[in-house]
Amino acid sequence: MKNENEFPITTGTCKFCGQTMTVETVGDITQDKADEIATSRCTCKEAKVWQNRESKIKKAKEWATNRFERQPNLITLFEESFERVTNHDVEKVAIKESDWTHNIFLDSDGYLNVKSSKKVEEEVDFS
């Protein structure tokens, strides 16, 4: 008989070093998800780099979701841009939205940044 208070246990493997570890879950999960959990807990150098990258992307996605909550297509564009920049697929992404320009890039310390600037025009008529 299964104890109802027990969490299902499965084995996950770090996708970088191959270390295996047991993973307790709330419900059934796929092997890929178990491996992702194991990678997120692994202490190998490559896993630490991956964890840092994933943390940056998560924080950036939360920012985009809060900033553009009524514009789901823009959120998707930002999320894809965060992935591309942190993967080093591109150096920088510029998104123009209304009077705003948002530049997404990694700074010299490797931190993901969004620099937003608003176009301000002033016209003075001295007739």
Side-chain angles (χ1 to χ4, degrees):
M1 179 183 289
K2 183 178 177 184
N3 180 346
E4 294 299 321
N5 293 327
E6 287 183 20
F7 293 106
I9 296 177
T10 189
T11 302
T13 304
C14 174
K15 63 183 179 179
F16 299 104
C17 70
Q19 178 181 339
T20 59
M21 61 184 70
T22 57
V23 177
E24 290 184 0
T25 63
V26 175
D28 291 331
I29 61 171
T30 65
Q31 186 60 51
D32 284 343
K33 186 63 179 171
D35 293 344
E36 183 179 323
I37 292 169
T39 303
S40 72
R41 295 179 181 166
C42 189
T43 58
C44 74
K45 182 179 178 181
E46 294 85 358
K48 289 291 188 188
V49 169
W50 178 83
Q51 293 160 12
N52 186 25
R53 177 189 165 279
E54 291 300 307
S55 175
K56 290 176 191 175
I57 291 172
K58 180 181 178 187
K59 289 175 187 175
K61 286 180 177 182
E62 288 171 359
W63 171 84
T65 299
N66 290 330
R67 172 76 165 76
F68 304 105
E69 64 184 329
R70 293 191 174 99
Q71 299 169 306
N73 291 338
L74 200 51
I75 293 170
T76 302
L77 181 59
F78 270 91
E79 289 177 346
E80 181 65 25
S81 299
F82 297 147
E83 296 275 347
R84 298 287 182 198
V85 170
T86 55
N87 282 340
H88 301 281
D89 295 336
V90 296
E91 186 175 316
K92 176 178 149 181
V93 174
I95 298 174
K96 294 191 178 201
E97 168 254 338
S98 216
D99 289 342
W100 288 90
T101 300
H102 309 279
N103 291 298
I104 303 165
F105 60 96
L106 293 176
D107 67 14
S108 60
D109 294 323
Y111 291 104
L112 184 62
N113 283 277
V114 177
K115 183 176 182 180
S116 300
S117 56
K118 187 173 184 178
K119 181 179 176 183
V120 178
E121 290 185 16
E122 183 177 334
E123 184 176 322
V124 179
D125 184 1
F126 297 106
S127 308

